[in-house]
Amino acid sequence: MVDEVSPVQVDLDFDQPGKTFGALRVPHSSNDSAYGQIIIPIVVIGNGNGPTLLFTGGVHGDESEGPIALMSFCREVDPNTLNGRVIVLPTLNLPAVHAATRICPLDGRDLNRVFPGDPRGSFTQVLAHYVVSSLFPLSDVVVDFHSGGHTLKYIPCVIIHKHRRDFTASLAAGRAFGSPMILISKDLETAGFLGNTSEAAGILTLTCELGGGMVSPGTVDLAKAGISNLLRHFGLTAGGPAMSERSGGPPARLVEIVDLDGYVVAPKQGLYEPFVDLGESLQKGAALGRVHHAGHTWDPPSTLFATRPGLVICRRPPAHVHPGDCVAIIGQVVE
Ligand code: CA
């Protein structure tokens, strides 16, 4: 279906030098708008013959660090300082961004679960198909900016995949980004992800998880620095070493999620009381927190235990939990 023509219209010339603010027009017929379109911003910044980087933000509408940093970058960057091209969609899933939701409110789908999309499907599927069929072929590098959104908070990191043939190049790009952690994923849950689809197409890909919970100055600054560092790393801008190296800070920790046991989920509905915070190291069997059973004050809380030794790389900020909600992710430190 990737070969089928996309119904998305594009107000943009990708080969135009300089900086062009354009739009994708995705058809969306509704009760309020018979021939309606959803208009999604796209920015192309090009100069010279260097590589093309594709930056996407707002794939999940409740993850705002990437969109804020990418919108700032688009306004502020001087195209004359670049050798290459950057294609930026700071708010790719715009209806979800406006609704502050992970899932697209137009069709109830998760954009990061429907890739490679379907040109004859719903809004979200059509949008994914356009990215795959029209933007991936233009791109040498794809960077998808995520965070934990409303329900998770990560140690800010770049995710790379262990079994890819370009692992060494991905690791070097991940180190250049400048995040405090690089998460090595073994593709435990990957169906329909943007980043896995671009990797399968042979494109060097990074996915960032820039914190979550609430937007903070530190995570937005990290996203901005990461953009700048990647431009330098891939030769689009000149200059010395990337910011993380210049500042003399500690190198990024390499952490692996070994298996699905690393994801700790709530067993019951209630209020989760965490005992440990992000970045704490645990032994197997250590108490992580407990779920208080609201409405049943007399019932003892359910205590959750670490399923493996390791580092708390992610946890759930809201206390309210339902059975199956992920409350923590435990990773294994590689170096
Ligand atoms: Ca996400």
Side-chain angles (χ1 to χ4, degrees):
M1 277 185 286
V2 169
D3 293 335
E4 285 188 38
V5 174
S6 173
V8 175
Q9 294 172 263
V10 191
D11 303 341
L12 193 76
D13 174 1
F14 286 98
D15 296 323
Q16 172 80 31
K19 182 168 13 180
T20 311
F21 290 86
L24 306 182
R25 300 180 179 276
V26 187
H28 181 62
S29 166
S30 71
N31 287 331
D32 299 319
S33 187
Y35 288 106
Q37 300 176 338
I38 304 299
I39 298 171
I40 296 173
I42 179 169
V43 186
V44 175
I45 307 135
N47 185 47
N49 300 316
T52 295
L53 276 52
L54 174 64
F55 290 158
T56 50
V59 164
H60 291 134
D62 63 338
E63 303 175 5
S64 304
E65 294 84 349
I68 290 170
L70 290 169
M71 285 190 283
S72 302
F73 166 73
C74 290
R75 290 191 310 272
E76 293 163 12
V77 66
D78 175 358
N80 295 314
T81 62
L82 297 184
N83 177 32
R85 177 170 60 173
V86 192
I87 302 172
V88 191
L89 295 110
T91 50
L92 178 58
N93 192 353
L94 188 65
V97 172
H98 279 148
T101 54
R102 175 179 180 85
I103 303 297
C104 180
L106 301 182
D107 58 11
R109 292 184 190 273
D110 181 334
L111 176 56
N112 212 29
R113 298 293 184 277
V114 303
F115 278 82
D118 180 351
R120 290 178 287 182
S122 67
F123 168 83
T124 302
Q125 293 170 305
V126 168
L127 183 59
H129 171 267
Y130 173 79
V131 171
V132 173
S133 62
S134 299
L135 299 183
F136 285 176
L138 302 176
S139 305
D140 299 299
V141 178
V142 169
V143 187
D144 191 22
F145 289 75
H146 285 253
S147 79
H150 289 326
T151 65
L152 292 174
K153 182 176 183 180
Y154 282 86
I155 297 175
C157 62
V158 170
I159 301 176
I160 59 175
H161 293 105
K162 188 164 189 170
H163 301 301
R164 301 294 171 183
R165 59 176 170 73
D166 57 2
F167 178 78
T168 306
S170 302
L171 182 59
R175 288 193 195 281
F177 188 92
S179 58
M181 180 173 79
I182 295 172
L183 194 55
I184 302 171
S185 162
K186 284 174 126 176
D187 294 351
L188 299 172
E189 192 216 349
T190 59
F193 283 39
L194 183 154
N196 294 79
T197 310
S198 55
E199 280 194 329
I203 305 168
L204 198 154
T205 301
L206 299 179
T207 303
C208 317
E209 293 287 1
L210 297 158
M214 290 171 68
V215 172
S216 71
T219 48
V220 172
D221 283 350
L222 175 64
K224 291 178 177 176
I227 293 167
S228 168
N229 290 339
L230 289 179
L231 294 182
R232 196 178 297 111
H233 178 74
F234 289 108
L236 278 79
T237 54
M243 273 182 203
S244 55
E245 297 164 39
R246 257 204 329 255
S247 65
R253 272 190 293 194
L254 287 189
V255 177
E256 194 171 339
I257 299 177
V258 179
D259 55 33
L260 289 172
D261 282 350
Y263 295 79
V264 182
V265 300
K268 290 184 175 177
Q269 184 174 355
L271 300 176
Y272 180 65
E273 174 191 3
F275 294 160
V276 296
D277 215 332
L278 277 185
E280 290 192 39
S281 293
L282 301 171
Q283 299 298 317
K284 184 177 179 179
L288 274 171
R290 57 185 179 175
V291 179
H292 296 267
H293 308 304
H296 300 269
T297 307
W298 50 89
D299 277 356
S302 302
T303 302
L304 298 181
F305 300 97
T307 43
R308 56 169 46 261
L311 189 72
V312 179
I313 60 165
C314 181
R315 78 171 191 86
R316 176 182 170 90
H320 292 78
V321 290
H322 288 89
D325 285 342
C326 180
V327 295
I329 303 176
I330 301 172
Q332 185 170 302
V333 178
V334 178
E335 72 174 56

